[in-house]
Amino acid sequence: MTRSTRQRERESETETDAEEEVVQQCPECGSEELVKDADRGELVCDDCGLVVEEGNIDPGPEWRAFNHQERQEKSRVGAPTTKTMHDKGLTTTIDWKDKDAYGRSISSKKRSQMHRLRKWQERIRTKDAGERNLQFALSEIDRMASALGVPRSVREVASVIYRRALDDDLIRGRSIEGVATSALYAACRKEGIPRSLEEISDVSRVERKEIGRTYRYISQELGLEMEPVDPKKYVPRFCSELDLSEEVQSKANEIIEETAEQGLLSGKSPTGYAAAAIYAASLLCNEKKTQREVADVAQVTEVTIRNRYQEQIEAMGIHS
């Protein structure tokens, strides 16, 4: 009897919740365009202005902040979880400052005790070989991302890709650095912040050939849908490093668009293609840069720039 009564109570609660989930309408005009005013705790009809509900509970904090600094000072929660750390940033760390809560120096006996505690705390943060692998790989991703100057979102995506590769046992038989570098390269492409394999290999401890091979294997096994890199995404960065004007940048994008429509981009390296378009645009805009200068910035050879340049000017009907 008791069980059946409880079941009936649960069913009635479920029905009540289902009724509450029904779309609310304004009793005055029947409109469903109801807007919540968080400051006043009211539910207002957007069409006729009727206050449908008032005195709603505000789930936000009891304090008010008017800028980011005030919000950081008044907030009483810890840092958010992150995929860029092997323990997601949930463990606490013992500070290396030998100070107490009041900022005073601690005694030598306490210092030696804290040193031992720090050492053991570092040891117990990783419980097995898998976590040690992850800790080293994520630190490598963070180091390379800092050297490349990519935003934090790329590091988060790279960490997620590496975790997926580790869960699917794709690391076996491959170096940790190689898989970590490939994950970072994939994250850069996925986030629309292209970095060439040459740039990635410059900050990595593995060779370019191994990065490319590992990247193809991981993207195939994990089913990463990667679109071809658009050469126009390289143009702003290359033009900035070459100190070229907006006019050259706009002309280079125009050259890439017109020649790509004719099918010249198929099978070509996007960095070399962008570099040749910038070289052609600099000549057309009377801001000449040598092939060597453009090649050094794009990390391609002068022969590549010459070949792509000749193809592009012929396709556009420009005589050199």
Side-chain angles (χ1 to χ4, degrees):
M1 290 295 289
T2 307
R3 184 176 298 174
S4 61
T5 305
R6 289 178 178 173
Q7 287 177 350
R8 283 197 298 272
E9 288 176 355
R10 290 197 191 100
E11 289 173 2
S12 63
E13 288 175 0
T14 306
E15 291 173 1
T16 306
D17 293 340
E19 289 174 0
E20 290 178 354
E21 290 176 1
V22 177
V23 178
Q24 288 181 300
Q25 293 182 346
C26 175
E28 187 72 27
C29 63
S31 173
E32 295 180 358
E33 299 294 329
L34 303 181
V35 180
K36 286 186 177 180
D37 188 345
D39 294 333
R40 300 184 179 182
E42 296 175 346
L43 187 66
V44 184
C45 176
D46 198 31
D47 291 339
C48 67
L50 179 72
V51 178
V52 180
E53 291 181 4
E54 58 183 347
N56 290 333
I57 299 173
D58 183 11
E62 82 285 357
W63 43 262
R64 299 174 68 190
F66 301 97
N67 55 46
H68 179 70
Q69 184 178 355
E70 283 189 23
R71 196 174 296 111
Q72 292 292 102
E73 290 174 354
K74 292 183 178 181
S75 179
R76 295 189 295 274
V77 298
T81 58
T82 173
K83 298 286 187 179
T84 58
M85 299 178 70
H86 75 283
D87 53 8
K88 299 182 181 178
L90 295 175
T91 57
T92 56
T93 55
I94 301 172
D95 197 358
W96 286 94
K97 297 177 183 176
D98 292 323
K99 307 277 187 181
D100 61 9
Y102 298 99
R104 296 175 300 202
S105 298
I106 58 177
S107 63
S108 59
K109 183 179 180 182
K110 284 286 183 183
R111 277 201 298 271
S112 60
Q113 183 183 1
M114 296 305 294
H115 179 73
R116 287 196 302 272
L117 286 173
R118 289 191 200 101
K119 186 163 60 177
W120 279 105
Q121 198 265 349
E122 284 295 322
R123 289 176 179 175
I124 64 176
R125 281 187 70 185
T126 52
K127 62 182 179 181
D128 53 24
E131 283 199 0
R132 284 193 295 273
N133 175 328
L134 189 60
Q135 184 182 30
F136 175 69
L138 295 181
S139 65
E140 278 292 290
I141 290 174
D142 194 58
R143 179 189 65 80
M144 292 184 290
S146 297
L148 289 170
V150 295
R152 187 160 190 83
S153 60
V154 175
R155 306 180 193 196
E156 292 280 353
V157 173
S159 303
V160 171
I161 292 173
Y162 187 87
R163 286 173 184 272
R164 287 182 58 191
L166 186 63
D167 292 340
D168 292 354
D169 201 24
L170 303 181
I171 317 294
R172 191 180 299 276
R174 292 170 179 81
S175 67
I176 297 173
E177 295 96 332
V179 179
T181 310
S182 303
L184 181 60
Y185 177 64
C188 288
R189 292 191 59 173
K190 208 166 185 62
E191 289 294 293
I193 304 173
R195 292 291 186 271
S196 64
L197 278 174
E198 287 78 12
E199 291 176 289
I200 296 287
S201 62
D202 284 346
V203 299
S204 176
R205 294 191 175 99
V206 293
E207 295 180 355
R208 179 185 182 279
K209 188 179 292 185
E210 184 183 346
I211 297 171
R213 185 168 56 243
T214 309
Y215 163 73
R216 287 190 293 271
Y217 172 72
I218 285 178
S219 60
Q220 182 179 358
E221 291 295 321
L222 296 180
L224 302 177
E225 297 179 0
M226 295 294 181
E227 297 180 357
V229 179
D230 188 357
K232 289 192 292 184
K233 291 185 177 179
Y234 289 103
V235 172
R237 183 157 57 92
F238 291 169
C239 284
S240 176
E241 292 182 22
L242 289 166
D243 197 21
L244 293 170
S245 64
E246 289 285 336
E247 184 185 0
V248 175
Q249 184 174 325
S250 177
K251 190 65 178 177
N253 287 330
E254 182 185 330
I255 292 171
I256 291 172
E257 287 178 2
E258 289 188 18
T259 55
E261 287 175 0
Q262 300 180 36
L264 292 182
L265 180 56
S266 179
K268 306 294 193 305
S269 167
T271 51
Y273 204 84
I278 291 171
Y279 175 68
S282 68
L283 294 179
L284 294 171
C285 297
N286 294 323
E287 295 184 33
K288 185 177 179 182
K289 295 288 180 180
T290 64
Q291 292 179 2
R292 166 54 57 191
E293 289 175 313
V294 180
D296 288 342
V297 168
Q299 293 187 334
V300 294
T301 62
E302 295 178 57
V303 176
T304 301
I305 292 180
R306 278 197 293 273
N307 293 339
R308 299 291 88 78
Y309 165 71
Q310 290 295 334
E311 293 171 0
Q312 289 171 355
I313 62 173
E314 288 175 8
M316 294 188 67
I318 302 172
H319 300 288
S320 58

